[in-house]
Amino acid sequence: MNLVRNANPDIVIGEEKNRTALQTVLHHLWKDKILWVMILPGLVYYIIFHYLPLYGVIVAFQNYSPFRGMLGGPWVGFRWFKEFFDSIFFERVMVNTILLNVYRIIFFFPAPIILALMINEIQHNKFKRLAQSISYMPHFVSQVVIVGMVVNFLSPSSGIINHIIKAIGLQPIHFMVKAEWFRTIYVSSEIWQEVGWCSIIYLAALSNIDPQLYEAAKVDGAGRLRQIWHITLPGITITIIILLLLNMGKMLTIGYQKIILLYNPSIYETADVINTYVYRRGILSGDYSFATAVGLFQSSINFILLVIFNKISRRVNEVSLW
Amino acid sequence: MIAKMTKGDRIIMLVDYVFVMLVIIITLYPLLYVFSSSLSSPHAVVRGEVWLFPKQFTLDSYMRVFANKAIWNSYLNTIWYVVVGTIVHIIMTTLTAYPLSRKKFWGRNLIMMLLVFTMYFDGGLIPRYLLVRDLGLINRRWAVILPLAINTYNLILMRTFFEGIPEELHEAARIDGSKDFGIFFRIVLPLSKPVLAVMVLFYSVARWNGYFEALIYLTKEKLYPLQLILRSILIELESGSMTGDVNADSDAVVGQTVRYATIVVATVPILCVYPFMQKYFVKGVMIGAIKG
């Protein structure tokens, strides 16, 4: 790609160096033409399904009407954003999104680590493998089925949880319509489904710890707990930090698909997060411009979070998300 | 080895084993309960008599499930979506990853950056929905296939794997007269079988269990995948009955066991394939972990 013209026309450089930029590009395209043909469908896919929607966010600044399409609407600037920030829903969805993530980090995140540590201590290999196999199973059950199980188990009349409650002598609780139970239900079902699957990575990291370290510690008289404290935990600290960063980067997009299955109007005050709000206002109510604005707000913050956590992650042991 | 453990260590070991046993029980019990309930009479379930084994054994619930045309139809739909979706995904992903793995491919880095960018910033749910609608894909099967045709994460995996194939093999093939596509098809792809197997596995499971795209892009019930039908049966509590069934027993009573039977019918295929999958997915998670 040589855009420099000879300062002194008396000096002749070889013909090839005198191409324009365009000719260089065409040359490269022709050289690898088969590869370009191969990659074409993929590029088309990305342009259509990833980059066109990026252009489509322009709808957030317009008053979109289905008849006029994406280009036709009158420009309204930041009106929808202001409306969102001023609405009572803004505080609600932001608080719910953040709180749900906090619950998740506090309760869900440590669970696979603990499970991995526990399974790692098992000496009988057959039992160990059995435990692992069984723990992975719920991950393969679909979310619809998981939520279906949750909903039916918690049924006030015929659900097993309430049978137990009644057996103890207490009044049955209609869990699914009480806002204060939502976060617990959400995180608990998440733990049940994913704890085994998420423990795989930690188990792998645990198996990478040098056994000689344990031997040395044993010689020094350390019991099992001390060994775990001084050897095991430091050994997987990096893994834990990286996974924690990965999780935090995904904060704003927290499993809204599962929430859509799980929630109902009675519990919107704790269950409604940013993306479920976008779904309701946009897809169900047809407030396309408004919902796009909220979605754009969410995407922007999401992007910033990902970049920040990626940078931090890079400093940690030079491993990154890129 | 056990004899050498201190008393403290042995207590810890005991606690540990008990804990793991508890985890196994807590994992299995809900599944067992669902299975047992599906084989019990509705009254026994509603009255709370079923705890571990079926009470008042009956296959009635399953009969109702099998009689439901919507379930059969959606089962076939799901199979279509999974098979076609996976084929499209594999073809698109490998075809796109291969050129990106060749160092001589001009534009490689730029394109890669543009693709990775899509993992960080999304247009959002609504623009994507409007786009699919403007493409005329609403209520077409392809609406469930095309938007998910390539998963950038898988793409990176594939590319990394392709990059790992020694250059000597490429050279040897080129000397023998093969061109780019020939090398791709006859040498690179066969070598990629392990990675492809893992990808097929994960993607198929994801498509089997997926429902959101169908939820927003499809409104005609005859196109619904299994998960959407499940959703209306299991979660829409008000409509507790199978369609068109007017029964002397209150529908809500029958509903419970039929729902559990539906869960079993929907989940059994995955659980059957599960034992065979085992050897693949630990490898798959590790490949992912190295990249992540």
Side-chain angles (χ1 to χ4, degrees), chain A residues 45-46 48 51 57 64 118 123-124 133 136-137 140 142-143 152 158 163 192 224-225 257 261 292 299, chain B residues 9 12 16-17 26-27 45-46 48 114 122-123 131 133 146-147 150 152 209 211 227 256 259 274 278:
Chain A
Y45 162 79
Y46 272 98
I48 295 183
Y51 278 94
V57 296
Y64 179 85
M118 293 279 181
Q123 305 293 344
H124 296 89
S133 288
Y136 306 155
M137 258 174 27
F140 291 94
S142 84
Q143 255 181 1
N152 280 289
S158 52
H163 285 318
W192 185 81
R224 198 59 194 164
L225 270 183
Q257 295 185 5
L261 293 175
T292 306
S299 295
Chain B
D9 278 356
I12 293 173
D16 191 67
Y17 271 77
I26 295 178
T27 304
V45 172
V46 169
L114 289 175
D122 201 271
L131 173 76
R133 196 188 62 176
L146 290 179
I150 302 185
T152 312
N209 289 337
Y211 59 92
Q227 301 300 330
Q256 195 75 296
R259 288 195 209 121
Y274 181 71
Q278 293 240 30

Side-chain angles (χ1 to χ4, degrees), chain A residues 94-126:
Chain A
M94 291 304 292
V95 166
N96 287 339
T97 308
I98 293 176
L99 270 185
L100 205 56
N101 271 293
V102 166
Y103 265 56
R104 203 167 174 270
I105 300 280
I106 296 179
F107 296 106
F108 175 75
F109 185 76
I113 302 175
I114 297 174
L115 181 66
L117 286 172
M118 293 279 181
I119 292 186
N120 192 49
E121 296 297 311
I122 305 278
Q123 305 293 344
H124 296 89
N125 273 327
K126 280 220 171 105

Side-chain angles (χ1 to χ4, degrees), chain A residues 123-124 218, chain B residues 1-7 9-10 13 17:
Chain A
Q123 305 293 344
H124 296 89
K218 232 177 278 183
Chain B
M1 205 313 229
I2 299 193
K4 287 209 198 108
M5 287 201 285
T6 68
K7 179 155 183 245
D9 278 356
R10 258 184 285 192
M13 213 26 117
Y17 271 77

Side-chain angles (χ1 to χ4, degrees), chain A residues 234-302:
Chain A
I236 56 172
T237 299
I238 302 285
T239 312
I240 294 179
I241 292 180
I242 291 176
L243 284 171
L244 183 61
L245 291 172
L246 259 166
N247 267 290
M248 292 180 77
K250 290 194 282 193
M251 251 207 208
L252 285 189
T253 51
I254 190 169
Y256 66 96
Q257 295 185 5
K258 178 172 171 183
I259 299 180
I260 288 177
L261 293 175
L262 205 48
Y263 79 174
N264 58 72
S266 337
I267 57 175
Y268 281 170
E269 65 183 85
T270 48
D272 202 21
V273 295
I274 296 182
N275 275 330
T276 54
Y277 185 61
V278 169
Y279 168 73
R280 264 202 333 282
R281 287 296 294 265
I283 309 265
L284 295 183
S285 301
D287 269 336
Y288 295 128
S289 286
F290 180 78
T292 306
V294 178
L296 180 57
F297 165 72
Q298 187 254 28
S299 295
S300 312
I301 306 224
N302 200 42

